[in-house]
Amino acid sequence: MTRAEETYRSEETYRGKETYRAGEAYRAGETYGDPATTGVAVTTEGLPDWLTPVMRASRTVAPEELSRFLPPESGGRQSAVLILFGEGPRGPELLLMERASSLRSHPGQPAFPGGSLDPEDGDPATTGPLRAALREAEEETGLDPSGVQLFGVLPKLYIPVSEFVVTPVLGWWRNPTPVGVVDPGETARVFTVPVADLTDPANRATARHPSGYRGPAFMVASALVWGFTAGVIDRILYFAGWEQPWDRSKQVPLDWRA
């Protein structure tokens, strides 16, 4: 898919039922499929002004501007994550979860809600990731999907160690509902992080893994956010124009279990 095909056009408005066709761009303001059954809406209508920079960035950012790890032409495990923005006591915030310490893969690591696509989610090339992101968020955090407005989709990215092809789905928590741990075997806690804390230079560092990996990290909400999740947050802050200068020489060492 070309960069142009990844652009999300808010100028076009849905005027009737339409089936999403593979190879088309996600068009903000349209609903794909029957909205009463399988339709998934992607719309920018009614977004708060502070989300405008994120929405605009999602329309134009290229995959290679987000990560050096891009999906292979074929194969990979299709998955999706929900990058959910809301408003809390301290202003804009992001919803995160912490993986259970008993898990074999990345135990205790903070992450966006998300996971692999199921067959019932539909076509991975079209609306499947949208449904998967909402379904996984509900299963992991108890989130009510009806209160979430999807407003954009970032280019698919790749996690080589797990072979996941990940679609980051952007959401606005229009009608917040209580969230929390649904399955302690998978999730240790569910929490929100103020964007102000993510942009605070004092909370930023470079994570250093014994494998040689180096990448952005955030020390927020009594957690160390690193890896794929931190990388996506870092790019969103940058392309939204929210990033503040921070000391990239400040390092946080990780151990082999991370």
Side-chain angles (χ1 to χ4, degrees):
M1 183 175 291
T2 66
R3 180 173 178 177
E5 289 172 328
E6 295 278 347
T7 300
Y8 310 105
R9 301 188 294 266
S10 62
E11 292 79 9
E12 302 184 34
T13 305
Y14 178 72
R15 290 287 182 252
K17 294 179 181 178
E18 178 181 345
T19 300
Y20 188 93
R21 293 182 291 276
E24 282 191 327
Y26 289 100
R27 291 194 287 260
E30 297 196 0
T31 299
Y32 301 101
D34 184 348
T37 55
T38 60
V40 182
V42 179
T43 176
T44 60
E45 182 179 357
L47 287 180
D49 291 342
W50 58 265
L51 266 178
T52 299
V54 180
M55 178 269 292
R56 288 176 176 167
S58 72
R59 296 177 177 180
T60 57
V61 66
E64 59 271 18
E65 293 175 313
L66 294 177
S67 174
R68 62 189 179 92
F69 298 114
L70 303 182
E73 292 185 4
S74 61
R77 304 163 63 186
Q78 296 295 326
S79 64
V81 295
L82 179 64
I83 304 175
L84 185 60
F85 291 90
E87 287 194 28
R90 296 180 52 207
E93 60 185 18
L94 270 178
L95 178 69
L96 296 177
M97 50 168 282
E98 187 174 302
R99 294 168 57 82
S101 59
S102 58
L103 294 175
R104 290 188 299 174
S105 177
H106 301 299
Q109 186 172 342
F112 299 118
S116 299
L117 269 67
D118 286 348
E120 59 266 28
D121 293 323
D123 190 347
T126 57
T127 55
L130 306 181
R131 296 191 187 90
L134 291 172
R135 175 184 55 76
E136 286 283 345
E138 181 178 17
E139 292 176 359
E140 293 176 335
T141 73
L143 174 78
D144 183 354
S146 67
V148 175
Q149 174 183 333
L150 303 183
F151 67 88
V153 183
L154 296 176
K156 293 179 183 289
L157 303 175
Y158 188 56
I159 304 179
V161 66
S162 58
E163 299 185 342
F164 275 118
V165 176
V166 186
T167 300
V169 179
L170 299 170
W172 158 236
W173 208 352
R174 176 178 289 278
N175 297 308
T177 52
V179 291
V181 174
V182 176
D183 182 357
E186 293 189 2
T187 307
R189 65 169 173 146
V190 176
F191 59 102
T192 57
V193 178
V195 171
D197 287 351
L198 294 168
T199 59
D200 186 342
N203 297 332
R204 304 210 56 179
T206 297
R208 177 171 50 82
H209 194 275
S211 65
Y213 165 86
R214 279 178 170 78
F218 300 84
M219 297 167 288
V220 291
S222 302
L224 176 63
V225 184
W226 67 283
F228 174 84
T229 302
V232 173
I233 293 175
D234 172 80
R235 295 293 80 197
I236 289 176
L237 297 181
Y238 175 78
F239 285 106
W242 295 345
E243 183 184 63
Q244 299 180 35
W246 57 282
D247 184 3
R248 298 173 186 273
S249 67
K250 177 182 175 181
Q251 296 191 3
V252 177
L254 305 169
D255 60 34
W256 280 107
R257 295 171 296 176

